[in-house]
Structure formats: C-alpha cells, structure tokens
Amino acid sequence: MRGLKLCIICVTYLLGQLIFASSFDAGASFLMIQPSPRSTAMAGAFSSIADDASANYYNPAGLGFIKYPSIMFVHTPWLRSAVPGINHEFLAFTYPLPVGTIGANIIYLNYGKVYGYYNGQYLGSWSPYDLQVQLSYGSNVTPDLSLGGSVKFIHSFLAPENIISDITGVNGSGSGMTFAVGFGLLYKKAIKLGEGNVGEIGYSLCFDNLGPAMTITSISEKQLLPYNVRTGISFIPLNLKNHRLTMAFELTKVLVNIMKDYKENGPKYIFDDTWKQIGLEYVLYDVAFMRLGYFYDKLGMRSGLTYGIGIKVFNFSFDISDDHSLYEMASGFNLRFGLSYNFKLQ
C-alpha cells in the first residue's frame, strides 16, 4: 500500500521541495510557481511593475494602472528533466471598467499520467492535476497609488476516489478544494531625470493565498496554503524614445509558521528563509526586450541567474525565459513560452 500511496503523492511532494525552503508545512505549492516568462526572466521581481495581464498573479493593484484590455497565455513544460510529463498552463486577461480594471487568470498544472499497482494488481491510470481560478480587481485611489484584491478557487486532484478506497479501505475523495484571497498596493511616481527622460519609481506590498487549509483525502492532514507577503521596489532610470531600462528588487516570504520559526530560530532564520530577487529589463524601440535576473533562496539552496527575451510586433508580444539554474536536478532548460496581446490603440 505504501508503494502506491507514494506513487500518488510523489510528484506533489517533489514539487513542494523544489519550491519551498524552510516553510515545509505549506501545501498547494503550485500556487508559488512563477507563471510569466517576463517576470521569471527577472527572477520574479515583478510586483512593483505589474503592468501587463500577469498583474492578476503578481499584484492585483497593478490593474489600477492598466487602462486597456489584454490577454496572455503561457505554456511551461515545467522541469521536464526532473519530473517528465509536467505541464504548467497560465491564462490571464484584463478589462477596464468605468472605475478600475478587472482581471482573471487560470492556472492548470498537470503532472502527467500515473499508473497504479497494488499487490501486483493493475488499478488503472490517471492524471493528477492542480487548478486555480482567480478573479481580481484594482483601482487608483490617487494618480500615483492603486489598491487591488483577488479571490481564487483552488482544486487539487491526486487520484480517483475508488482507488483511494481500494488501497486505504477508507471511503473518501482523492481530491480537495478551498479558496483564498489576496490584496496589494502599488505606488508609481514619474520623475524627470533629464531632457526627454522621464523615469519612474515604484513600490509594492502584497499579501496572497490567505485562506483555509485544504484536505486532499479523508486520511491526510490538512495542507496549509502558502500564504505569503511580497514587497518590492522598481526604478526606471532610462526612458527615452527608443530605449528603456527597468530595475527591480523584491523580497518574498512564505508566512506559514513564521512565529514558531522566529521563536525557535530567531530573526536571521526568517531573513534566510526569504526569497531575494533582482531583475533588469532593457527595451529597444519598444520591439526587442532583454531581461536578466538573480534569485537567492539560502535555506532552499536555490540561487542563480535567470534570463529571457521578448519581441513585440504590433500589439502581439512573444516572450521566453529560462530559470533552470535555480534547480540542482535540472539538466537542461526550464523554459516558459508566453504569447500576449493588448488592445491598446497604436
């Protein structure tokens, strides 16, 4: 029985180990996989920028600064060298209202096909998956400050109910569901740096995945959601007609059991368990995009460069990124492919 139970949960457990450092008590770890190739190329330092459809995920307050409809789709064959068959899909859109802007996104993580055996008997095959559906809203309260919030439905499927019953002898579902909310603020201020060079500074603060724990099966423990806080700053020192440079720095901390960690290990441990992210984006003629980032997670032993490129043709944008250096078990690229379109008039 143990062999099959491990077969069912191994990919989910591995996913958690790949993403989290000390905060091992957090479940639903798929919620922390960075979906956007633009952001990933900048090591995830994006909540203080949040100016495209992925603002739904990174900071719903960014929607308040978006004044045109947009749509984004991202496909990620995630860490195929470590766990073959995993696909991560992200679909998001924004739509302005008379006051504020609404947005939505769907995250779907499919773990590939799993084959179940128990006492030498073949029980069948199935495809475990995780799903998130999110609705967001953001609005400016001043020309420089926006507030936003989100609500999301979360569903995880590990195995069919009859298989769970066969191997455990306990009636119960092999799936679980819950909900969560998030909220954030975003401050952006234009600053004149010289003739024809109008830069910008930005600051963000976001709380996400705040919601009740989820139980996958009737005999499993409740999984706390990876509720977290992100804060970041961004600076545009160069913004000329044909050149733009953006710099961003961000801290991300999973808050699960933070008080226990603080009491037992002290403030240094909390800081070591915080992700540090630095990103750069250079734009040439508003057509070509080059991005670079550095991610550092001491306790999770994840660190390295991230990078990506993009190209814009009319209102279509195609972006690609790679962050394989963050994962020791990755023997090749870990690519994200994104296609987006905005309906802003030229």
Side-chain angles (χ1 to χ4, degrees), residues 28-295:
S29 48
F30 80 100
L31 297 172
M32 298 298 289
I33 296 178
Q34 301 275 344
S36 163
R38 181 184 176 197
S39 168
T40 305
M42 301 173 67
F46 198 70
S47 69
S48 62
I49 300 172
D51 59 357
D52 60 25
S54 69
N56 285 281
Y57 177 89
Y58 292 97
N59 186 356
L63 295 172
F65 291 99
I66 297 176
K67 307 303 181 184
Y68 50 85
S70 63
I71 188 168
M72 172 185 293
F73 173 71
V74 180
H75 169 67
T76 306
W78 202 72
L79 282 177
R80 286 291 181 83
S81 61
V83 188
I86 292 185
N87 286 304
H88 184 279
E89 317 293 351
F90 177 72
L91 177 66
F93 80 90
T94 66
Y95 190 83
L97 301 175
V99 178
T101 298
I102 61 168
N105 73 67
I106 298 173
I107 296 175
Y108 177 70
L109 180 65
N110 187 296
Y111 294 92
K113 187 165 287 189
V114 173
Y115 299 89
Y117 294 86
Y118 178 52
N119 289 338
Q121 180 181 0
Y122 177 64
L123 299 181
S125 63
W126 65 94
S127 296
Y129 67 85
D130 291 313
L131 174 70
Q132 176 212 269
V133 180
Q134 177 175 321
L135 181 65
S136 306
Y137 175 80
S139 180
N140 286 88
V141 294
T142 73
D144 302 324
L145 177 65
S146 177
L147 301 178
S150 64
V151 59
K152 61 182 70 174
F153 164 80
I154 302 161
H155 175 71
S156 291
F157 169 76
L158 284 185
E161 183 176 349
N162 65 301
I163 291 180
I164 294 293
S165 177
D166 289 344
I167 65 175
T168 65
V170 177
N171 292 326
S173 171
S175 62
M177 64 180 64
T178 187
F179 71 93
V181 298
F183 55 90
L185 66 82
L186 179 58
Y187 174 83
K188 289 187 177 185
K189 179 70 173 180
I191 53 174
K192 189 171 183 179
L193 300 173
E195 187 65 30
N197 185 20
V198 179
E200 182 182 89
I201 56 173
Y203 170 73
S204 63
L205 178 64
C206 319
F207 293 86
D208 201 11
N209 298 324
L210 307 176
M214 178 170 58
T215 301
I216 300 297
T217 70
S218 59
I219 61 173
S220 66
E221 296 181 358
K222 290 185 177 181
Q223 296 186 13
L224 297 174
L225 297 182
Y227 44 90
N228 64 88
V229 59
R230 296 190 295 272
T231 185
I233 57 175
S234 60
F235 177 48
I236 300 178
L238 181 67
N239 188 15
L240 301 174
K241 181 178 180 181
N242 299 321
H243 307 274
R244 185 171 73 252
L245 178 66
T246 302
M247 309 165 63
F249 173 73
E250 189 155 324
L251 299 173
T252 302
K253 177 68 179 82
V254 176
L255 299 174
V256 175
N257 284 338
I258 185 172
M259 296 307 298
K260 176 184 175 183
D261 289 340
Y262 180 83
K263 291 179 180 179
E264 294 180 355
N265 302 296
K268 184 179 183 300
Y269 183 91
I270 299 300
F271 184 73
D272 289 342
D273 192 31
T274 300
W275 304 352
K276 293 85 176 175
Q277 301 140 275
I278 300 174
L280 296 172
E281 179 183 60
Y282 173 69
V283 183
L284 179 64
Y285 286 95
D286 200 32
V287 171
F289 302 79
M290 290 162 279
R291 302 168 183 123
L292 183 67
Y294 184 78
F295 183 98

Side-chain angles (χ1 to χ4, degrees), residues 320-334:
I320 185 171
S321 69
D322 175 47
D323 66 346
H324 79 277
S325 66
L326 307 187
Y327 306 97
E328 292 183 355
M329 69 292 298
S331 58
F333 295 117
N334 189 43

